[in-house]
Amino acid sequence: MKEMLMYINNEWKEASNKEFINVKDPADQSVYGKIPRAGKEDVNQAVNAARRAFENPEWKKFKPHERGYILNKMAERIRRDKETLAQLETQDVGKPLSQSMADVEAAARYFEFYGGVADKIMGETIPVEDGILDFTVREPVGVTAHIVPWNYPIQIVSRSVAAAIAAGNTVVVKSAEDTPATAHCLAQFFEELNLIPGVFNLVTGYGKEAGAYLSGHPDINHVTFTGSVPTGIAVMKAAAENIVPVTLELGGKSPNIVFADCDQDAAMQGVVKSIIQNAGQTCSAGSRLLIERPIKDKFLEKVKDAFEKLLVGPGIEDTDIGPILSQSQFEKVMNYIEQAKTDGKMVAGGHRVEVNGNEGGFYIQPTIIDALDHSHPAAQEEIFGPVLTVFSFDQEEEAVRLANDTEYGLVTGVWSENINKAHRLADCIKSGQVFINNFGAGGGIQMPFGGFKKSGFGREKGLEALKNYTTVKNVAIKYK
Ligand code: NAD
């Protein structure tokens, strides 16, 4: 049984209550490890350690480019162990191995990207009047808290931790209770760097305990939360008690809009990949397909053919679609499917898949549902499974209306060879990212990522994320 302890103040720790939480492999639901169940006292220790590190003159003396070295070393270290990390990610999350490999490389690139940025975080000089020099300084906010979901653990820990440290903050990460393994490895890599105690801290445990204590802790200065809408609301309320700013990266119900004038093969591949990745357990999954009516039947046939060729099975065998994380997630997905069987029309899939040798795992056929009303829960809510709902439209305006007709606004794909039309859509779409003739653009480490509406606010990734982790001070000097 693999024991993954917490890392607080440069020491490996059990929880004060000595309790552990079991961790399962979604491939067959076998228990393979355990993590400490942190309580208030443990979270306190982690925040206090991060605070001491932040106030430590040695950390303040760290030059920006030296913080960059730390982050670049992390990138190197991640790449050195990439196979092991990918295997752990697959064991934890269930995703196909090649997807885990891509996630590990993305994690290394976040450290590298922010490593390069650390000594380029600059203020401005502002013209005021003769005899006054006015300038701004971008200072680190202090202790930043990072609460991470289970579906992309190594990427999500890396993207915000790297940006926070680049800006000179000290951090406390709360990993997801279902998928803690790669965050634990990152803590081991930080340990090897022998930094002053408390720069990087990792706590583990349940969201309602460790997560809630961390987000409501009076001595943190920022919370980056990635997860579901209801938890995002709880985090925001807890942080509000202390006037602590939050960045919320929440869910999505992202559409792919396919026009008759697009390259249909490219669009088909984009549509399929965007919904089957990580078995649809992706915030930015392309879970709605809007097709221009004249090509609907032909295009849907292509997607159906592609779906029927996909291999469902354990991620370690690098199948196309791995298991659903847990029984409760599986039941949630199947409820949507069963409801849609009555209210719509099944075009493909719709059933559980029994995988020989992995009977305990929860696998679902890639599923296409047509003929639902757009107000149906399966069309409006985040299903978090390999389930695509399909709609058609006649006019460009109707496509825009449908695309914007959910509470979410994370990502939109537009497929058309008409550049004017594509630009018009990009103008009218209410989502944080719009992809034209692609969906994801290779991971997009450099691109600001975040939501409109209930998909959240604030932006991760790219230079934009530095705004979360810095605060602006204005200095005005009067001279004679
Ligand atoms: P979740 O909200 O259940 O949990 C996310 C994290 O919050 C976990 O670490 C959990 O322990 C913690 N948590 C739970 N209750 C808490 C509380 N009361 N206070 C503080 N922390 C608490 O989400 P999940 O099921 O782990 O992840 C899936 C969700 O995450 C989906 O909605 C998905 O769309 C979203 N997501 C968003 C992005 C993005 O970047 N926009 C990326 C990945 C996942």
Side-chain angles (χ1 to χ4, degrees), residues 224-263:
T224 297
F225 171 78
T226 311
S228 61
V229 174
T231 314
I233 294 170
V235 165
M236 198 170 162
K237 284 184 178 165
E241 290 294 327
N242 301 306
I243 321 288
V244 164
V246 294
T247 299
L248 297 183
E249 294 285 358
L250 309 176
K253 192 71 187 174
S254 298
N256 269 297
I257 309 172
V258 177
F259 285 95
D261 61 11
C262 74
D263 172 341

mmCIF file of all heavy atoms in Angstrom, residues 224-263:
data_model
loop_
_atom_site.group_PDB
_atom_site.id
_atom_site.type_symbol
_atom_site.label_atom_id
_atom_site.label_comp_id
_atom_site.label_asym_id
_atom_site.label_seq_id
_atom_site.Cartn_x
_atom_site.Cartn_y
_atom_site.Cartn_z
ATOM 1 N N THR A 224 -6.712 29.926 -5.464
ATOM 2 C CA THR A 224 -7.005 29.474 -6.820
ATOM 3 C C THR A 224 -7.757 28.169 -6.671
ATOM 4 O O THR A 224 -7.224 27.191 -6.147
ATOM 5 C CB THR A 224 -5.703 29.225 -7.603
ATOM 6 O OG1 THR A 224 -5.029 30.477 -7.711
ATOM 7 C CG2 THR A 224 -5.987 28.704 -9.004
ATOM 8 N N PHE A 225 -8.994 28.183 -7.108
ATOM 9 C CA PHE A 225 -9.808 26.969 -7.000
ATOM 10 C C PHE A 225 -10.180 26.479 -8.390
ATOM 11 O O PHE A 225 -10.667 27.254 -9.222
ATOM 12 C CB PHE A 225 -11.087 27.252 -6.202
ATOM 13 C CG PHE A 225 -12.043 26.095 -6.261
ATOM 14 C CD1 PHE A 225 -11.837 24.969 -5.476
ATOM 15 C CD2 PHE A 225 -13.115 26.100 -7.152
ATOM 16 C CE1 PHE A 225 -12.692 23.874 -5.573
ATOM 17 C CE2 PHE A 225 -13.972 25.014 -7.255
ATOM 18 C CZ PHE A 225 -13.760 23.889 -6.458
ATOM 19 N N THR A 226 -9.950 25.218 -8.637
ATOM 20 C CA THR A 226 -10.403 24.593 -9.872
ATOM 21 C C THR A 226 -11.288 23.427 -9.465
ATOM 22 O O THR A 226 -10.848 22.552 -8.710
ATOM 23 C CB THR A 226 -9.208 24.086 -10.706
ATOM 24 O OG1 THR A 226 -8.253 25.136 -10.793
ATOM 25 C CG2 THR A 226 -9.638 23.691 -12.103
ATOM 26 N N GLY A 227 -12.516 23.423 -9.958
ATOM 27 C CA GLY A 227 -13.437 22.353 -9.567
ATOM 28 C C GLY A 227 -14.848 22.693 -9.991
ATOM 29 O O GLY A 227 -15.057 23.438 -10.955
ATOM 30 N N SER A 228 -15.805 22.177 -9.237
ATOM 31 C CA SER A 228 -17.200 22.307 -9.666
ATOM 32 C C SER A 228 -17.811 23.635 -9.201
ATOM 33 O O SER A 228 -17.278 24.283 -8.292
ATOM 34 C CB SER A 228 -17.992 21.142 -9.087
ATOM 35 O OG SER A 228 -17.929 21.210 -7.683
ATOM 36 N N VAL A 229 -18.940 23.971 -9.781
ATOM 37 C CA VAL A 229 -19.597 25.249 -9.454
ATOM 38 C C VAL A 229 -20.020 25.304 -7.978
ATOM 39 O O VAL A 229 -19.701 26.278 -7.287
ATOM 40 C CB VAL A 229 -20.799 25.515 -10.402
ATOM 41 C CG1 VAL A 229 -21.570 26.751 -9.964
ATOM 42 C CG2 VAL A 229 -20.311 25.667 -11.835
ATOM 43 N N PRO A 230 -20.709 24.262 -7.451
ATOM 44 C CA PRO A 230 -21.130 24.386 -6.045
ATOM 45 C C PRO A 230 -19.945 24.559 -5.095
ATOM 46 O O PRO A 230 -20.007 25.360 -4.158
ATOM 47 C CB PRO A 230 -21.848 23.052 -5.759
ATOM 48 C CG PRO A 230 -22.215 22.509 -7.108
ATOM 49 C CD PRO A 230 -21.202 23.019 -8.075
ATOM 50 N N THR A 231 -18.850 23.846 -5.365
ATOM 51 C CA THR A 231 -17.694 24.010 -4.472
ATOM 52 C C THR A 231 -17.075 25.384 -4.680
ATOM 53 O O THR A 231 -16.629 26.026 -3.717
ATOM 54 C CB THR A 231 -16.638 22.911 -4.716
ATOM 55 O OG1 THR A 231 -17.294 21.658 -4.805
ATOM 56 C CG2 THR A 231 -15.634 22.853 -3.598
ATOM 57 N N GLY A 232 -17.074 25.859 -5.915
ATOM 58 C CA GLY A 232 -16.553 27.203 -6.187
ATOM 59 C C GLY A 232 -17.308 28.252 -5.380
ATOM 60 O O GLY A 232 -16.711 29.185 -4.834
ATOM 61 N N ILE A 233 -18.621 28.080 -5.285
ATOM 62 C CA ILE A 233 -19.429 29.039 -4.504
ATOM 63 C C ILE A 233 -19.024 28.970 -3.029
ATOM 64 O O ILE A 233 -18.834 29.999 -2.373
ATOM 65 C CB ILE A 233 -20.938 28.738 -4.695
ATOM 66 C CG1 ILE A 233 -21.332 29.018 -6.152
ATOM 67 C CG2 ILE A 233 -21.784 29.550 -3.728
ATOM 68 C CD1 ILE A 233 -22.729 28.537 -6.540
ATOM 69 N N ALA A 234 -18.845 27.728 -2.528
ATOM 70 C CA ALA A 234 -18.453 27.572 -1.111
ATOM 71 C C ALA A 234 -17.090 28.207 -0.854
ATOM 72 O O ALA A 234 -16.890 28.894 0.161
ATOM 73 C CB ALA A 234 -18.428 26.075 -0.747
ATOM 74 N N VAL A 235 -16.163 28.020 -1.793
ATOM 75 C CA VAL A 235 -14.810 28.576 -1.636
ATOM 76 C C VAL A 235 -14.864 30.098 -1.639
ATOM 77 O O VAL A 235 -14.235 30.780 -0.820
ATOM 78 C CB VAL A 235 -13.882 28.042 -2.760
ATOM 79 C CG1 VAL A 235 -12.600 28.845 -2.854
ATOM 80 C CG2 VAL A 235 -13.583 26.557 -2.533
ATOM 81 N N MET A 236 -15.666 30.637 -2.556
ATOM 82 C CA MET A 236 -15.769 32.096 -2.666
ATOM 83 C C MET A 236 -16.357 32.690 -1.380
ATOM 84 O O MET A 236 -15.892 33.717 -0.889
ATOM 85 C CB MET A 236 -16.663 32.407 -3.858
ATOM 86 C CG MET A 236 -16.539 33.792 -4.378
ATOM 87 S SD MET A 236 -17.436 33.839 -5.941
ATOM 88 C CE MET A 236 -17.638 35.576 -6.120
ATOM 89 N N LYS A 237 -17.366 32.008 -0.833
ATOM 90 C CA LYS A 237 -17.988 32.509 0.409
ATOM 91 C C LYS A 237 -16.990 32.459 1.558
ATOM 92 O O LYS A 237 -16.903 33.393 2.351
ATOM 93 C CB LYS A 237 -19.210 31.660 0.763
ATOM 94 C CG LYS A 237 -20.419 31.968 -0.091
ATOM 95 C CD LYS A 237 -21.603 31.157 0.399
ATOM 96 C CE LYS A 237 -22.844 31.485 -0.397
ATOM 97 N NZ LYS A 237 -23.905 30.492 -0.192
ATOM 98 N N ALA A 238 -16.244 31.344 1.631
ATOM 99 C CA ALA A 238 -15.281 31.201 2.733
ATOM 100 C C ALA A 238 -14.206 32.280 2.629
ATOM 101 O O ALA A 238 -13.841 32.905 3.622
ATOM 102 C CB ALA A 238 -14.652 29.807 2.703
ATOM 103 N N ALA A 239 -13.722 32.508 1.399
ATOM 104 C CA ALA A 239 -12.660 33.506 1.209
ATOM 105 C C ALA A 239 -13.195 34.913 1.465
ATOM 106 O O ALA A 239 -12.473 35.792 1.963
ATOM 107 C CB ALA A 239 -12.084 33.394 -0.198
ATOM 108 N N ALA A 240 -14.483 35.118 1.153
ATOM 109 C CA ALA A 240 -15.084 36.452 1.335
ATOM 110 C C ALA A 240 -15.032 36.883 2.798
ATOM 111 O O ALA A 240 -14.875 38.072 3.096
ATOM 112 C CB ALA A 240 -16.526 36.454 0.841
ATOM 113 N N GLU A 241 -15.130 35.928 3.710
ATOM 114 C CA GLU A 241 -15.081 36.252 5.144
ATOM 115 C C GLU A 241 -13.796 36.986 5.503
ATOM 116 O O GLU A 241 -13.751 37.734 6.465
ATOM 117 C CB GLU A 241 -15.168 34.965 5.991
ATOM 118 C CG GLU A 241 -16.522 34.288 5.947
ATOM 119 C CD GLU A 241 -17.610 35.130 6.586
ATOM 120 O OE1 GLU A 241 -17.313 35.862 7.547
ATOM 121 O OE2 GLU A 241 -18.760 35.075 6.104
ATOM 122 N N ASN A 242 -12.739 36.712 4.752
ATOM 123 C CA ASN A 242 -11.440 37.346 5.050
ATOM 124 C C ASN A 242 -11.024 38.341 3.968
ATOM 125 O O ASN A 242 -9.870 38.762 3.920
ATOM 126 C CB ASN A 242 -10.359 36.267 5.183
ATOM 127 C CG ASN A 242 -10.693 35.276 6.266
ATOM 128 O OD1 ASN A 242 -10.939 35.665 7.392
ATOM 129 N ND2 ASN A 242 -10.743 33.990 5.925
ATOM 130 N N ILE A 243 -11.954 38.684 3.073
ATOM 131 C CA ILE A 243 -11.650 39.580 1.930
ATOM 132 C C ILE A 243 -10.432 39.064 1.173
ATOM 133 O O ILE A 243 -9.487 39.800 0.875
ATOM 134 C CB ILE A 243 -11.450 41.058 2.350
ATOM 135 C CG1 ILE A 243 -12.414 41.481 3.442
ATOM 136 C CG2 ILE A 243 -11.544 41.996 1.150
ATOM 137 C CD1 ILE A 243 -13.840 41.653 3.015
ATOM 138 N N VAL A 244 -10.442 37.781 0.895
ATOM 139 C CA VAL A 244 -9.334 37.167 0.153
ATOM 140 C C VAL A 244 -9.808 36.941 -1.290
ATOM 141 O O VAL A 244 -10.876 36.372 -1.503
ATOM 142 C CB VAL A 244 -8.932 35.828 0.822
ATOM 143 C CG1 VAL A 244 -8.087 34.978 -0.101
ATOM 144 C CG2 VAL A 244 -8.184 36.103 2.118
ATOM 145 N N PRO A 245 -9.043 37.416 -2.265
ATOM 146 C CA PRO A 245 -9.478 37.234 -3.662
ATOM 147 C C PRO A 245 -9.396 35.770 -4.110
ATOM 148 O O PRO A 245 -8.571 35.006 -3.597
ATOM 149 C CB PRO A 245 -8.486 38.086 -4.457
ATOM 150 C CG PRO A 245 -7.306 38.237 -3.572
ATOM 151 C CD PRO A 245 -7.762 38.133 -2.162
ATOM 152 N N VAL A 246 -10.256 35.430 -5.041
ATOM 153 C CA VAL A 246 -10.266 34.054 -5.556
ATOM 154 C C VAL A 246 -10.182 34.065 -7.083
ATOM 155 O O VAL A 246 -10.626 35.015 -7.727
ATOM 156 C CB VAL A 246 -11.552 33.284 -5.148
ATOM 157 C CG1 VAL A 246 -11.627 33.070 -3.660
ATOM 158 C CG2 VAL A 246 -12.807 33.998 -5.624
ATOM 159 N N THR A 247 -9.595 33.006 -7.611
ATOM 160 C CA THR A 247 -9.677 32.738 -9.042
ATOM 161 C C THR A 247 -10.467 31.442 -9.145
ATOM 162 O O THR A 247 -10.094 30.454 -8.507
ATOM 163 C CB THR A 247 -8.273 32.542 -9.641
ATOM 164 O OG1 THR A 247 -7.540 33.743 -9.439
ATOM 165 C CG2 THR A 247 -8.334 32.233 -11.127
ATOM 166 N N LEU A 248 -11.544 31.464 -9.894
ATOM 167 C CA LEU A 248 -12.381 30.263 -9.984
ATOM 168 C C LEU A 248 -12.348 29.715 -11.400
ATOM 169 O O LEU A 248 -12.740 30.406 -12.346
ATOM 170 C CB LEU A 248 -13.824 30.583 -9.595
ATOM 171 C CG LEU A 248 -14.078 31.062 -8.165
ATOM 172 C CD1 LEU A 248 -15.577 31.270 -7.925
ATOM 173 C CD2 LEU A 248 -13.547 30.079 -7.131
ATOM 174 N N GLU A 249 -11.863 28.494 -11.518
ATOM 175 C CA GLU A 249 -11.872 27.773 -12.803
ATOM 176 C C GLU A 249 -12.886 26.650 -12.642
ATOM 177 O O GLU A 249 -12.591 25.641 -12.003
ATOM 178 C CB GLU A 249 -10.485 27.174 -13.081
ATOM 179 C CG GLU A 249 -9.394 28.180 -13.301
ATOM 180 C CD GLU A 249 -9.462 28.847 -14.661
ATOM 181 O OE1 GLU A 249 -10.353 28.501 -15.460
ATOM 182 O OE2 GLU A 249 -8.628 29.724 -14.914
ATOM 183 N N LEU A 250 -14.065 26.841 -13.217
ATOM 184 C CA LEU A 250 -15.142 25.893 -12.922
ATOM 185 C C LEU A 250 -15.486 25.052 -14.154
ATOM 186 O O LEU A 250 -14.632 24.804 -14.989
ATOM 187 C CB LEU A 250 -16.337 26.650 -12.348
ATOM 188 C CG LEU A 250 -15.986 27.582 -11.172
ATOM 189 C CD1 LEU A 250 -17.179 28.370 -10.700
ATOM 190 C CD2 LEU A 250 -15.349 26.831 -10.015
ATOM 191 N N GLY A 251 -16.699 24.652 -14.250
ATOM 192 C CA GLY A 251 -17.047 23.680 -15.291
ATOM 193 C C GLY A 251 -17.343 24.295 -16.646
ATOM 194 O O GLY A 251 -17.095 25.470 -16.888
ATOM 195 N N GLY A 252 -17.892 23.466 -17.528
ATOM 196 C CA GLY A 252 -18.235 23.944 -18.860
ATOM 197 C C GLY A 252 -19.258 23.040 -19.540
ATOM 198 O O GLY A 252 -19.555 21.935 -19.065
ATOM 199 N N LYS A 253 -19.829 23.558 -20.606
ATOM 200 C CA LYS A 253 -20.717 22.756 -21.466
ATOM 201 C C LYS A 253 -20.403 23.235 -22.878
ATOM 202 O O LYS A 253 -21.222 23.857 -23.566
ATOM 203 C CB LYS A 253 -22.183 23.014 -21.078
ATOM 204 C CG LYS A 253 -23.154 22.039 -21.696
ATOM 205 C CD LYS A 253 -23.046 20.647 -21.106
ATOM 206 C CE LYS A 253 -23.919 19.666 -21.859
ATOM 207 N NZ LYS A 253 -23.739 18.278 -21.403
ATOM 208 N N SER A 254 -19.176 22.981 -23.273
ATOM 209 C CA SER A 254 -18.623 23.682 -24.437
ATOM 210 C C SER A 254 -19.131 23.115 -25.761
ATOM 211 O O SER A 254 -19.184 21.900 -25.944
ATOM 212 C CB SER A 254 -17.103 23.607 -24.371
ATOM 213 O OG SER A 254 -16.664 24.255 -23.200
ATOM 214 N N PRO A 255 -19.491 24.003 -26.697
ATOM 215 C CA PRO A 255 -19.994 23.552 -27.990
ATOM 216 C C PRO A 255 -18.914 23.533 -29.075
ATOM 217 O O PRO A 255 -17.977 24.327 -29.049
ATOM 218 C CB PRO A 255 -21.030 24.630 -28.338
ATOM 219 C CG PRO A 255 -20.475 25.873 -27.711
ATOM 220 C CD PRO A 255 -19.686 25.448 -26.487
ATOM 221 N N ASN A 256 -19.076 22.627 -30.015
ATOM 222 C CA ASN A 256 -18.388 22.717 -31.301
ATOM 223 C C ASN A 256 -19.457 23.105 -32.308
ATOM 224 O O ASN A 256 -20.480 22.414 -32.435
ATOM 225 C CB ASN A 256 -17.792 21.360 -31.694
ATOM 226 C CG ASN A 256 -16.366 21.214 -31.206
ATOM 227 O OD1 ASN A 256 -15.491 21.980 -31.620
ATOM 228 N ND2 ASN A 256 -16.122 20.252 -30.327
ATOM 229 N N ILE A 257 -19.233 24.209 -33.042
ATOM 230 C CA ILE A 257 -20.216 24.683 -34.022
ATOM 231 C C ILE A 257 -19.673 24.328 -35.408
ATOM 232 O O ILE A 257 -18.621 24.835 -35.816
ATOM 233 C CB ILE A 257 -20.401 26.207 -33.911
ATOM 234 C CG1 ILE A 257 -20.688 26.598 -32.451
ATOM 235 C CG2 ILE A 257 -21.513 26.689 -34.836
ATOM 236 C CD1 ILE A 257 -20.699 28.103 -32.211
ATOM 237 N N VAL A 258 -20.383 23.462 -36.102
ATOM 238 C CA VAL A 258 -19.866 22.947 -37.377
ATOM 239 C C VAL A 258 -20.705 23.498 -38.531
ATOM 240 O O VAL A 258 -21.901 23.181 -38.643
ATOM 241 C CB VAL A 258 -19.892 21.400 -37.367
ATOM 242 C CG1 VAL A 258 -19.431 20.847 -38.704
ATOM 243 C CG2 VAL A 258 -19.013 20.863 -36.238
ATOM 244 N N PHE A 259 -20.078 24.334 -39.350
ATOM 245 C CA PHE A 259 -20.782 24.911 -40.503
ATOM 246 C C PHE A 259 -20.582 24.017 -41.729
ATOM 247 O O PHE A 259 -19.564 23.304 -41.842
ATOM 248 C CB PHE A 259 -20.260 26.320 -40.786
ATOM 249 C CG PHE A 259 -20.767 27.331 -39.793
ATOM 250 C CD1 PHE A 259 -20.005 27.674 -38.679
ATOM 251 C CD2 PHE A 259 -22.021 27.913 -39.958
ATOM 252 C CE1 PHE A 259 -20.485 28.596 -37.759
ATOM 253 C CE2 PHE A 259 -22.506 28.832 -39.034
ATOM 254 C CZ PHE A 259 -21.734 29.178 -37.936
ATOM 255 N N ALA A 260 -21.529 24.122 -42.660
ATOM 256 C CA ALA A 260 -21.496 23.280 -43.864
ATOM 257 C C ALA A 260 -20.233 23.531 -44.695
ATOM 258 O O ALA A 260 -19.776 22.641 -45.418
ATOM 259 C CB ALA A 260 -22.740 23.547 -44.704
ATOM 260 N N ASP A 261 -19.661 24.733 -44.565
ATOM 261 C CA ASP A 261 -18.499 25.056 -45.407
ATOM 262 C C ASP A 261 -17.157 24.674 -44.759
ATOM 263 O O ASP A 261 -16.106 25.136 -45.187
ATOM 264 C CB ASP A 261 -18.499 26.559 -45.732
ATOM 265 C CG ASP A 261 -18.391 27.419 -44.477
ATOM 266 O OD1 ASP A 261 -18.109 26.862 -43.394
ATOM 267 O OD2 ASP A 261 -18.593 28.639 -44.571
ATOM 268 N N CYS A 262 -17.191 23.830 -43.720
ATOM 269 C CA CYS A 262 -15.915 23.520 -43.045
ATOM 270 C C CYS A 262 -15.216 22.331 -43.710
ATOM 271 O O CYS A 262 -15.778 21.648 -44.559
ATOM 272 C CB CYS A 262 -16.166 23.199 -41.580
ATOM 273 S SG CYS A 262 -16.914 21.589 -41.319
ATOM 274 N N ASP A 263 -13.975 22.104 -43.295
ATOM 275 C CA ASP A 263 -13.277 20.875 -43.668
ATOM 276 C C ASP A 263 -13.846 19.789 -42.755
ATOM 277 O O ASP A 263 -13.510 19.690 -41.569
ATOM 278 C CB ASP A 263 -11.772 21.096 -43.421
ATOM 279 C CG ASP A 263 -10.957 19.829 -43.597
ATOM 280 O OD1 ASP A 263 -11.538 18.727 -43.552
ATOM 281 O OD2 ASP A 263 -9.729 19.944 -43.745
#
